[in-house]
Amino acid sequence: MTLRFWLSKGILKLSIALRYAVLAILPPREILQLAYEHYEREASREHSEARIAQDLNEFEEALLENVLTSPRDLLILGCGGGREAMAFAKRGFRVEGVDMIPELVEGANAYAARHQLPATFKCQDLTGLRLEPNSYDCALITLWLYEQLPSRVLRVQTLATLRTILRAKGRVIFHFHLSQPTQDERKIFYLL
């Protein structure tokens, strides 16, 4: 192996270490604030009639066929503009969505009301959910959103809260978005 190779490998490792050094410098709440600012900038792209019309993705269709076989009370965390929430509501589920961006929540509530769908949306941070205990049969959250909670303490706290708002035998389902993140999303993922 050449000196160039080892030097390149060392620089790559250093760049990765520096990205994670942000976690040691910024407290979790400040990291969450950076995430909020990122998603707030992206909000207008997230909520649109065309996006909602995309309906369920392959994973969500499989979930519907294999796990959520009958309509129930469903909580969607990080619901964005409500694409999957509206799709489940159209199939008879009573859906409540939670997102931290007010513009997305307002747009989703307006869409649901206009189309008379059994879906409501609240503006809340995942780390401080204030929802009625024993209210849902299932909570849906993307795995990458859960992983973005910037500390183990906040992730455990969020799961503990979910335990109280789910009914007995309720479950949390982690799902995946398989699309590639945008350049801006990559930047925020490194911080989170």
Side-chain angles (χ1 to χ4, degrees):
M1 302 274 170
T2 68
L3 178 61
R4 260 187 182 161
F5 173 80
W6 290 109
L7 188 58
S8 298
K9 192 172 180 178
I11 290 170
L12 181 62
K13 286 183 179 184
L14 178 62
S15 70
I16 292 168
L18 288 174
R19 280 189 220 134
Y20 290 105
V22 171
L23 296 175
I25 297 168
L26 290 177
R29 292 287 169 201
E30 287 184 34
I31 295 170
L32 286 174
Q33 181 60 34
L34 291 173
Y36 175 85
E37 290 167 8
H38 166 77
Y39 288 114
E40 188 176 44
R41 282 190 306 275
E42 298 292 314
S44 60
R45 272 190 331 137
E46 182 69 26
H47 179 73
S48 69
E49 301 277 331
R51 181 135 166 88
I52 290 172
Q54 289 176 354
D55 207 49
L56 298 177
N57 64 31
E58 288 180 46
F59 173 82
E60 293 157 346
E61 287 286 354
L63 188 63
L64 194 59
E65 288 177 27
N66 300 309
V67 179
L68 302 173
T69 54
S70 61
R72 54 190 68 189
D73 295 331
L74 181 62
L75 173 64
I76 300 180
L77 301 165
C79 65
R83 179 196 54 80
E84 64 270 74
M86 303 303 178
F88 280 111
K90 288 175 184 174
R91 289 163 173 83
F93 288 78
R94 185 186 69 80
V95 180
E96 184 144 21
V98 173
D99 201 276
M100 66 180 175
I101 306 300
E103 181 182 336
L104 294 176
V105 170
E106 290 165 13
N109 274 319
Y111 183 96
R114 199 169 48 252
H115 295 277
Q116 300 177 335
L117 293 172
T120 56
F121 300 87
K122 293 182 177 178
C123 188
Q124 294 185 20
D125 180 332
L126 293 185
T127 62
L129 292 172
R130 299 167 314 282
L131 300 168
E132 200 62 38
N134 303 310
S135 298
Y136 307 95
D137 300 307
C138 185
L140 224 71
I141 182 172
T142 59
L143 185 60
W144 64 262
L145 180 61
Y146 175 75
E147 289 175 339
Q148 286 183 25
L149 297 175
S151 73
R152 181 178 188 276
V153 170
L154 290 175
R155 289 190 293 276
V156 169
Q157 174 186 322
T158 300
L159 288 177
T161 302
L162 284 175
R163 187 177 197 181
T164 66
I165 62 178
L166 291 173
R167 295 185 177 119
K169 297 188 181 183
R171 58 180 133 178
V172 176
I173 298 176
F174 292 96
H175 65 106
F176 302 87
H177 284 282
L178 300 176
S179 62
Q180 289 293 319
T182 65
Q183 281 290 52
D184 284 342
E185 287 172 333
R186 280 191 192 99
K187 289 176 192 171
I188 199 73
F189 291 166
Y190 291 133
L191 287 177
L192 295 166

